[in-house]
Structure formats: C-alpha cells, structure tokens
Amino acid sequence: MSKLLITALLVLTSSVVQAEKEFLDHTNLMNHGDGHLMDMDGGMVMGQNTDVLPGGCDKIAATEEITVHAGHKYSENFPGTMYAFDKQEYQFEPCTKLTVNFINDDNIRHQWMMHGLPKYMYPKGMFHLEVTGPGKISGTLIFPPNDKTYLVHCDISQHMEKGMKAQLKIGKGSGDLPSIPGVSAYVIQDDYSDSIPEPAVKKPLTAAEKKAAKVATAAANESAVSGILIIGLAAGLILAPLLSSRFKGMAVGEVLNTVFELIAQGIGIVIKLIVWIISLVSSKKSIELSDK
Ligand SMILES: [Cu+2]
C-alpha cells in the first residue's frame, strides 16, 4: 500500500515539475514578409525594420540595443498592479536603430507593443514583440526623426490596466502619458482609505405614495399645457395686427410664400444658435494630462 502511495507521489511531483515551462530562446522564426516573423511556440515579431530609413532621417543616427523584462515580480514596486516591465521609461535620439531583446519571466503570454509609428512603413503603426511563457525574442526597428512619446504596453487583456505599461521618448518626447507606473499619475487613482461610501438605497414606494405621485405628475402636465396655451394666445393677439398689416393687399400665394420664408429664417437662426453652442462647448480643452 505504501509502495503505491510513494509511486503516486513521485508521478505527481514529476508532472508538477513538467508543468513549469522551460526557458525558450525564440531564434528560429519563420519570416512571413513585411517584418512579420513567427514560430510555433508563441514567439512573434511584427513591424520589424532593419534597413528602411523613415522620412526625414538622412542616416541612422545611432545603433542601440536594450534588454526588457516582463513579469509579475516587477509589479512589486507599484502597489495595486499585477504585471510590469522592469523599466517604465526609455529615451533615444531621433533616427535611432534599436534592437529590443524581450524576455518574458512569467508562465503566461506577454508583449512589448509600441504604438504611433508612421503607418507608411510600420503596419498599423506598430512594432510588436511577443513571447508565450518564459523565453526571449528579439526585434529591430528604426525610429522617425520627430520628438514624440510612444506608448509601450502589453496588449493581453487587462495586462496594461494592471501595470504593464511604459513610455518611449524620441528626442525630447511629447510629454508624459498617463498611468505609467512610477512615472505619471494614475487616471483613476485607487482609494486606500477605510471609509466606505454610503450606498444609495432606494426605498420602494407604497401604493398611496405611488398614487400621490401620479396625481402630482398629471397636475403638472395639465398646468404646463395651459401655460403653453396662454403663451400661444398672447403671441397670437400681439402678432395678428402686425401680420395683418404686413399681408395687406397680398394674394393668398404671396401670403403663404412670406409665411414659409419667415419659418425658414427662424429655423436658420435656431441652427446657427445650436452650432454656436456646440463650438462653445467643444472649444474647451477636454482632458489634461496628469503631472509627473
Ligand atoms: Cu502581458
């Protein structure tokens, strides 16, 4: 009996050891063209560019190489996060040729995805490295000449929201992006205080209260109708002599024509007013980027 137990235990232990994936160096990738490389083990490079100069670059200004780690353990520095890169900010000179060695330290899928690159040479404006499980993959790109801050993140569902987000500045950059762990303020700051906001509980209405509310609404509607009626009558009384003098001696067709013109003018004024209100509202700055 004890022999059986030991055997079972051994089988269980070996299967647990096997569940841990081995570190894989993704070097044997199939080239699909257009800078897209893949293998069968979850390794992927998209938007690789080793030799085409972006517009505005006379030459490759510098050749750089970095190693980036992605993993759960790097989130320990940022309370409330779950995943992170080992570095949250990068900076390079314009027209730099950069090789990124991307290492995934976790037993899940991670990416190092850059956005906002010129679409005429990077499909969808993206440069993308991806590794499933522990492993390493490398890719190369050439940066455009303008000062700009690029978003770098992991696009796996909720990984960015849970901390796997960084920024890459070319030249002086173009400001800081929000919610970069340790760099810029969170857009939605978590609240660590111990006060719990009172939930808004709505008491169900009693039958009598419902009836009273119904009567009140009906009365309000009725008074609104009579109010409009009074305003209409007053307007009619004032406008009738004015209009009658205007339409004096006109044929029926002319009267109708004038009435339609007046209506058209009125609609024109209302449309102009709406456009003016919209422009007033939309001219306000929408969202301010957070401070460093
Ligand atoms: Cu990820």
Side-chain angles (χ1 to χ4, degrees), residues 83 108-111 154 156 159 164:
Y83 305 111
I108 51 169
R109 190 172 154 206
H110 282 312
Q111 305 166 332
C154 177
I156 304 298
H159 285 203
M164 202 163 259

PDB file of all heavy atoms in Angstrom, residues 83 108-111 154 156 159 164, ligand 1:
ATOM      1  N   TYR A  83       1.125  43.232 -13.110  1.00  0.00           N
ATOM      2  CA  TYR A  83       2.203  42.951 -14.063  1.00  0.00           C
ATOM      3  C   TYR A  83       2.991  44.233 -14.298  1.00  0.00           C
ATOM      4  O   TYR A  83       2.471  45.333 -14.111  1.00  0.00           O
ATOM      5  CB  TYR A  83       1.629  42.483 -15.400  1.00  0.00           C
ATOM      6  CG  TYR A  83       0.704  41.293 -15.302  1.00  0.00           C
ATOM      7  CD1 TYR A  83      -0.656  41.427 -15.557  1.00  0.00           C
ATOM      8  CD2 TYR A  83       1.196  40.043 -14.944  1.00  0.00           C
ATOM      9  CE1 TYR A  83      -1.512  40.343 -15.462  1.00  0.00           C
ATOM     10  CE2 TYR A  83       0.344  38.957 -14.845  1.00  0.00           C
ATOM     11  CZ  TYR A  83      -1.004  39.117 -15.102  1.00  0.00           C
ATOM     12  OH  TYR A  83      -1.842  38.038 -15.009  1.00  0.00           O
ATOM     13  N   ILE A 108       3.031  32.923 -18.533  1.00  0.00           N
ATOM     14  CA  ILE A 108       1.886  33.334 -19.349  1.00  0.00           C
ATOM     15  C   ILE A 108       2.393  34.106 -20.558  1.00  0.00           C
ATOM     16  O   ILE A 108       3.598  34.192 -20.775  1.00  0.00           O
ATOM     17  CB  ILE A 108       0.885  34.201 -18.535  1.00  0.00           C
ATOM     18  CG1 ILE A 108       1.610  35.345 -17.840  1.00  0.00           C
ATOM     19  CG2 ILE A 108       0.119  33.354 -17.548  1.00  0.00           C
ATOM     20  CD1 ILE A 108       0.681  36.362 -17.245  1.00  0.00           C
ATOM     21  N   ARG A 109       1.469  34.689 -21.327  1.00  0.00           N
ATOM     22  CA  ARG A 109       1.816  35.393 -22.555  1.00  0.00           C
ATOM     23  C   ARG A 109       2.021  36.883 -22.268  1.00  0.00           C
ATOM     24  O   ARG A 109       1.199  37.504 -21.583  1.00  0.00           O
ATOM     25  CB  ARG A 109       0.655  35.204 -23.525  1.00  0.00           C
ATOM     26  CG  ARG A 109       0.871  35.648 -24.928  1.00  0.00           C
ATOM     27  CD  ARG A 109      -0.342  35.164 -25.739  1.00  0.00           C
ATOM     28  NE  ARG A 109      -0.569  35.997 -26.894  1.00  0.00           N
ATOM     29  CZ  ARG A 109      -1.751  36.146 -27.475  1.00  0.00           C
ATOM     30  NH1 ARG A 109      -2.815  35.521 -26.994  1.00  0.00           N
ATOM     31  NH2 ARG A 109      -1.888  36.910 -28.530  1.00  0.00           N
ATOM     32  N   HIS A 110       3.120  37.458 -22.736  1.00  0.00           N
ATOM     33  CA  HIS A 110       3.351  38.899 -22.590  1.00  0.00           C
ATOM     34  C   HIS A 110       3.835  39.497 -23.909  1.00  0.00           C
ATOM     35  O   HIS A 110       4.384  38.790 -24.759  1.00  0.00           O
ATOM     36  CB  HIS A 110       4.402  39.180 -21.510  1.00  0.00           C
ATOM     37  CG  HIS A 110       3.889  39.071 -20.119  1.00  0.00           C
ATOM     38  ND1 HIS A 110       2.724  39.669 -19.693  1.00  0.00           N
ATOM     39  CD2 HIS A 110       4.396  38.419 -19.027  1.00  0.00           C
ATOM     40  CE1 HIS A 110       2.543  39.393 -18.406  1.00  0.00           C
ATOM     41  NE2 HIS A 110       3.531  38.621 -17.975  1.00  0.00           N
ATOM     42  N   GLN A 111       3.640  40.809 -24.015  1.00  0.00           N
ATOM     43  CA  GLN A 111       4.043  41.533 -25.232  1.00  0.00           C
ATOM     44  C   GLN A 111       4.762  42.824 -24.877  1.00  0.00           C
ATOM     45  O   GLN A 111       4.562  43.393 -23.808  1.00  0.00           O
ATOM     46  CB  GLN A 111       2.800  41.894 -26.056  1.00  0.00           C
ATOM     47  CG  GLN A 111       1.916  40.722 -26.409  1.00  0.00           C
ATOM     48  CD  GLN A 111       0.555  41.160 -26.912  1.00  0.00           C
ATOM     49  OE1 GLN A 111       0.053  42.216 -26.551  1.00  0.00           O
ATOM     50  NE2 GLN A 111      -0.048  40.335 -27.756  1.00  0.00           N
ATOM     51  N   CYS A 154       1.636  45.914 -22.886  1.00  0.00           N
ATOM     52  CA  CYS A 154       1.260  44.539 -23.199  1.00  0.00           C
ATOM     53  C   CYS A 154      -0.229  44.582 -23.505  1.00  0.00           C
ATOM     54  O   CYS A 154      -1.013  45.097 -22.719  1.00  0.00           O
ATOM     55  CB  CYS A 154       1.540  43.615 -22.027  1.00  0.00           C
ATOM     56  SG  CYS A 154       1.002  41.921 -22.351  1.00  0.00           S
ATOM     57  N   ILE A 156      -2.296  42.038 -23.976  1.00  0.00           N
ATOM     58  CA  ILE A 156      -3.122  40.935 -23.471  1.00  0.00           C
ATOM     59  C   ILE A 156      -4.151  41.546 -22.506  1.00  0.00           C
ATOM     60  O   ILE A 156      -3.819  42.436 -21.727  1.00  0.00           O
ATOM     61  CB  ILE A 156      -2.259  39.881 -22.738  1.00  0.00           C
ATOM     62  CG1 ILE A 156      -1.130  39.356 -23.645  1.00  0.00           C
ATOM     63  CG2 ILE A 156      -3.114  38.733 -22.209  1.00  0.00           C
ATOM     64  CD1 ILE A 156      -1.568  38.641 -24.899  1.00  0.00           C
ATOM     65  N   HIS A 159      -3.663  43.378 -19.024  1.00  0.00           N
ATOM     66  CA  HIS A 159      -2.274  43.468 -18.559  1.00  0.00           C
ATOM     67  C   HIS A 159      -1.811  44.920 -18.454  1.00  0.00           C
ATOM     68  O   HIS A 159      -1.062  45.265 -17.545  1.00  0.00           O
ATOM     69  CB  HIS A 159      -1.340  42.658 -19.471  1.00  0.00           C
ATOM     70  CG  HIS A 159      -1.452  41.180 -19.254  1.00  0.00           C
ATOM     71  ND1 HIS A 159      -0.460  40.281 -19.586  1.00  0.00           N
ATOM     72  CD2 HIS A 159      -2.461  40.436 -18.722  1.00  0.00           C
ATOM     73  CE1 HIS A 159      -0.844  39.059 -19.270  1.00  0.00           C
ATOM     74  NE2 HIS A 159      -2.064  39.124 -18.756  1.00  0.00           N
ATOM     75  N   MET A 164       1.273  46.806 -16.844  1.00  0.00           N
ATOM     76  CA  MET A 164       2.306  46.553 -17.856  1.00  0.00           C
ATOM     77  C   MET A 164       2.251  47.640 -18.927  1.00  0.00           C
ATOM     78  O   MET A 164       1.717  47.444 -20.019  1.00  0.00           O
ATOM     79  CB  MET A 164       2.140  45.159 -18.455  1.00  0.00           C
ATOM     80  CG  MET A 164       3.425  44.642 -19.069  1.00  0.00           C
ATOM     81  SD  MET A 164       3.414  42.875 -19.327  1.00  0.00           S
ATOM     82  CE  MET A 164       4.367  42.304 -17.928  1.00  0.00           C
TER      83      MET A 164
HETATM   84 CU    CU B   1       1.250  40.704 -20.567  1.00  0.00          CU
END
